[in-house]
Amino acid sequence: MTSKTFSLGAELTVDRLGFGAMRLAMGTFAGPARDPETGIAVLRRAVELGVNHIDTAGFYGRDAVWANELIRAALTPYRDDLVIATKVGPLPGPNGVPSGQATAAQLRGLIEAELRSLGLDRLDLVYLRVGGMTGPGHESIAERFAVLAELRAEGLIRHLGVSNVDAAQLAEARAIAPVAAVQNRHTSGMELLAECEEAGIAYVPYFPLGGGVGSSPLDAERLRKVAARLGATTAQVAIASLLTSSPTVLVIPGTGSLAHLEENLAAHALELGDQDLSDLRGQGVPDGPVRCPAPDGSSSGAGEPR
């Protein structure tokens, strides 16, 4: 049986089913902002249910509601076993969408802002997020990653990760400093997963339930079939499927809803047998992002505002 935990950076034990904080502050980057008290309640319930890996970013927010500030309000003093991962690189444009990229010279200021907003002296895991929303841009990341490596050497960061990268960019980063995690869109190829498995690097797919945009989901009918047989929801089957894909995969479904939070985390107890996996993927079906069917039967993404 695949382990339910993973040793991040070979020293921080995290549950492989964590929580993504993007939906706490807003349904989408375009807004509107969500009720902060609901976000605080979701965070506290997540930790009560065993979550000890929260993925956030300083640009997750809208108007006066920001994920990092909600995390600090809800969870300080932080539990000793709680790992908070964040990311730097994207810069929000006038409409709130993170469409710009920080330069190497801007990264120290962004890290200092993350420390302040989360109320921490050191960040557990920081990803350098590169490129836009359409996939790796293939540009060099060496200069920017070297800045984060310097901040790690100063003690401001414990572990480093990279996000939205290709194999060459991961190699660039690993030549500069140890990489503890890769956070990429969960695409059909998952090209870097084998390398991450071999190197003991966590692979953390973002939009783990599809995100409602692009790429080829598992067939919705297959998903419904397995969910009906197991008495589970399609979101639970999707999460359980990801957890079976590799012992190095960490799943971070996000939501701003208590009901959806509890639904997502219940997937930890769901066991998929060989027949379930065969029915889900089928011969030649890519082990790609799973988007759950909407109540009306369409393939709207489970990662859409929840």
Side-chain angles (χ1 to χ4, degrees):
M1 179 176 291
T2 303
S3 173
K4 290 188 175 183
T5 62
F6 181 83
S7 183
L8 187 63
E11 64 162 349
L12 297 175
T13 300
V14 296
D15 194 296
R16 290 180 55 225
L17 181 50
F19 178 77
M22 191 184 86
R23 305 291 188 193
L24 289 174
M26 71 281 182
T28 69
F29 284 115
R34 284 180 155 165
D35 174 26
E37 292 304 317
T38 300
I40 287 171
V42 167
L43 284 162
R44 288 176 175 166
R45 184 60 176 151
V47 171
E48 286 176 0
L49 292 173
V51 167
N52 70 343
H53 170 213
I54 295 175
D55 182 89
T56 187
F59 52 88
Y60 287 174
R62 188 74 181 178
D63 301 327
V65 185
W66 296 87
N68 283 2
E69 294 175 4
L70 294 178
I71 291 169
R72 182 175 184 175
L75 302 179
T76 52
Y78 295 119
R79 284 183 357 191
D80 290 342
D81 68 338
L82 181 63
V83 172
I84 299 176
T86 190
K87 58 195 73 68
V88 293
L91 297 175
N95 61 355
V97 176
S99 53
Q101 283 199 84
T103 66
Q106 292 173 299
L107 291 176
R108 177 180 288 272
L110 292 174
I111 291 298
E112 291 172 348
E114 294 285 335
L115 290 164
R116 288 192 300 270
S117 62
L118 289 166
L120 291 168
D121 296 322
R122 179 173 65 168
L123 298 167
D124 293 321
L125 171 63
V126 176
Y127 295 95
L128 175 65
R129 174 63 159 83
V130 298
M133 296 297 290
T134 57
H138 310 294
E139 76 270 26
S140 173
I141 65 171
E143 182 183 10
R144 285 169 286 170
F145 194 76
V147 172
L148 296 186
E150 291 173 5
L151 295 173
R152 175 177 174 267
E154 292 176 21
L156 298 181
I157 301 171
R158 192 166 185 172
H159 294 292
L160 297 175
V162 287
S163 177
N164 202 40
V165 295
D166 57 29
Q169 290 169 324
L170 176 58
E172 254 192 323
R174 294 184 69 190
I176 294 168
V179 173
V182 170
Q183 187 173 121
N184 271 20
R185 178 95 186 249
H186 186 46
T187 55
S188 58
M190 293 185 73
E191 294 88 353
L192 300 184
L193 180 57
E195 180 177 350
C196 288
E197 285 183 343
E198 183 178 353
I201 296 172
Y203 188 93
V204 190
Y206 68 85
F207 290 159
L209 298 180
V213 290
S215 68
S216 299
L218 288 180
D219 183 82
E221 285 302 322
R222 295 175 185 268
L223 198 55
R224 276 192 287 261
K225 176 182 177 181
V226 173
R229 180 167 62 230
L230 297 177
T233 69
T234 52
Q236 289 168 340
V237 174
I239 292 167
S241 177
L242 275 176
L243 290 171
T244 66
S245 64
S246 167
T248 198
V249 168
L250 310 183
V251 187
I252 50 168
T255 181
S257 158
L258 280 167
H260 286 135
L261 170 73
E262 298 196 3
E263 174 189 336
N264 290 345
L265 295 182
H268 227 333
L270 190 65
E271 295 188 8
L272 300 179
D274 291 342
Q275 185 61 54
D276 300 319
L277 294 172
S278 176
D279 287 347
L280 281 172
R281 292 164 185 163
Q283 186 66 33
V285 177
D287 182 13
V290 183
R291 285 192 291 165
C292 304
D296 64 2
S298 66
S299 293
S300 112
E304 290 176 351
R306 286 167 56 90

